[in-house]
Amino acid sequence: MAKALAPLPLEKHPQLLVGTETADDAGVYKIAEDTALVQTIDLITPIVDDAFLFGQIAAANSLSDIYAMGGRPLTAMNIICFPRLSLDISVLTEILQGGLEKVHEAGAVLMGGHTVEDAELKYGLAVTGTVHPQKIITNKGAQLGDVLILTKPLGTGIISTAQKAGLAETEALEAAARQMVALNNQAAQAMGECQAHACTDITGFGLLGHAVEMARGCGFSLRLFYEQIPFLPKVKNYAASGLVPGGAYCNEGHFGSEIFWGEKIPSLEKIILFDPQTSGGLLIALPKEQSQKLLELLLKKGVRDATLIGEVIPREKYSIIVA
Ligand code: CO
Ligand code: CO
Ligand code: CO
């Protein structure tokens, strides 16, 4: 997307507060002194076998970018690519039921949608939310000395690859599903009660790709504490068996030159940090003094896997140091 957009002029408008310039999670447009619209769209191919569960996951994934900007979702529209000839329409009904449940859980309203016929099933939402113009949290505001908190464990891409190979264990599948259906609403609320400087959700670029964008945005480097990074069950085993999605290698190709690896990181495990996530957690940069408060709030709100995984350090040659 960034490559395709590059030849086009950058969209500029006095009310456009966040556009395409920083690869941020959603666009933000000011409509009043105290209100800005946050808008995003995302759709994905099935990542689980169950249609209702897929609908829930796709919707949670689409809603996430609103939360990553510090916003609150108001309205959603279904966007569907459906293979009418090969799939029964009842499958689509189940998907939409799952999506609707998540829209309601988010406190938003479904107001329509659009379907096109396509050989491959895809589903997601276009979501509109609001945020106070002074409370927008972009991916570029991290400050020196901030710590980084990640709110969900990693590995959904690897577990889905293991599932497609028929090798995923129930424990791993259930843990991955639980994380993917979980909205980032509680995490965003907790973040809103602290003075977060930057936030992004971890999706297709994997932890390291999104971390590189956060580092580029603030001009500092990020140090990640490898031992602290939370993983879903069995992910390391699957990665060691080569059950790694192609997207992880794409991400490594794109962002690998910006990563410095400490000696202790097992080379087999490096690829996990590039694993593309579906409906991943928030990566939040905030002052060190507030990290305990945020972690406690997260725990209180049921975000149990949130972990402090790194810090913002003076700019080094590499954007990210994994040590
Ligand atoms: Co995002
Ligand atoms: Co997105
Ligand atoms: Co239409």
Side-chain angles (χ1 to χ4, degrees):
M1 169 91 154
K3 247 185 202 161
L5 279 173
L8 303 179
L10 206 58
E11 187 81 341
K12 281 209 166 78
H13 187 282
Q15 278 149 278
L16 181 63
L17 303 180
V18 179
T20 55
E21 63 284 351
T22 55
D24 221 317
D25 297 299
V28 184
Y29 185 92
K30 187 172 171 181
I31 52 170
E33 271 322 300
D34 62 351
T35 311
L37 290 180
V38 193
Q39 295 190 287
T40 182
I41 179 165
D42 209 338
L43 73 172
I44 58 173
T45 54
I47 184 164
V48 291
D49 293 332
D50 183 83
F52 183 80
L53 182 62
F54 168 57
Q56 289 181 303
I57 292 170
N61 184 64
S62 299
L63 287 155
S64 179
D65 279 327
I66 302 287
Y67 296 124
M69 304 301 290
R72 193 169 67 88
L74 291 183
T75 61
M77 304 188 88
N78 289 318
I79 172 90
I80 302 144
C81 300
F82 193 72
R84 191 166 53 91
L85 298 176
S86 60
L87 269 186
D88 193 84
I89 197 78
S90 65
V91 176
L92 182 54
T93 303
E94 279 182 55
I95 293 171
L96 297 179
Q97 271 169 352
L100 184 62
E101 193 199 87
K102 283 290 150 183
V103 169
H104 287 166
E105 187 187 332
V109 179
L110 187 81
M111 52 190 281
H114 189 75
T115 308
V116 288
E117 197 170 339
D118 193 348
E120 195 181 16
L121 175 67
K122 300 174 197 80
Y123 170 63
L125 300 172
V127 189
T128 300
T130 52
V131 65
H132 191 290
Q134 259 89 56
K135 292 191 175 154
I136 300 165
I137 305 177
T138 67
N139 63 359
K140 65 176 183 185
Q143 294 181 15
L144 198 57
D146 279 356
V147 293
L148 302 168
I149 288 173
L150 176 66
T151 66
K152 289 185 188 177
L154 303 174
T156 65
I158 287 168
I159 290 175
S160 145
T161 305
Q163 182 183 24
K164 282 172 190 151
L167 295 169
E169 289 139 286
T170 312
E171 178 197 0
L173 287 172
E174 286 180 355
R178 230 181 359 256
Q179 292 300 334
M180 290 188 289
V181 297
L183 292 178
N184 281 325
N185 58 345
Q186 301 296 340
Q189 259 183 34
M191 171 171 77
E193 293 177 37
C194 302
Q195 273 81 49
H197 290 144
C199 177
T200 190
D201 59 342
I202 306 303
T203 53
F205 293 156
L207 174 66
L208 289 180
H210 291 284
V212 164
E213 289 191 329
M214 191 177 266
R216 283 178 185 158
C218 66
F220 301 116
S221 292
L222 309 182
R223 186 204 308 277
L224 302 184
F225 314 131
Y226 182 75
E227 302 278 313
Q228 316 263 57
I229 298 173
F231 297 105
L232 288 161
K234 308 286 177 185
V235 164
K236 290 184 182 179
N237 306 24
Y238 298 152
S241 320
L243 295 164
V244 175
Y249 295 101
C250 285
N251 288 337
E252 187 179 37
H254 276 120
F255 301 105
S257 63
E258 300 211 40
I259 317 293
F260 178 84
W261 295 97
E263 285 160 30
K264 280 183 282 180
I265 320 297
S267 48
L268 263 175
E269 292 181 10
K270 292 177 184 169
I271 196 71
I272 308 177
L273 301 189
F274 291 107
D275 183 40
Q277 302 300 285
T278 299
S279 188
L282 300 182
L283 180 67
I284 301 165
L286 85 171
K288 195 175 191 168
E289 313 82 77
Q290 296 209 0
S291 59
Q292 207 47 44
K293 178 184 171 188
L294 178 58
L295 287 169
E296 280 165 20
L297 279 169
L298 286 165
L299 198 61
K300 213 191 287 176
K301 291 175 188 290
V303 187
R304 291 174 203 293
D305 295 293
T307 315
L308 194 157
I309 63 155
E311 61 188 351
V312 181
I313 59 172
R315 179 69 207 186
E316 299 197 7
K317 182 172 164 217
Y318 295 90
S319 287
I320 310 291
I321 287 90
V322 187

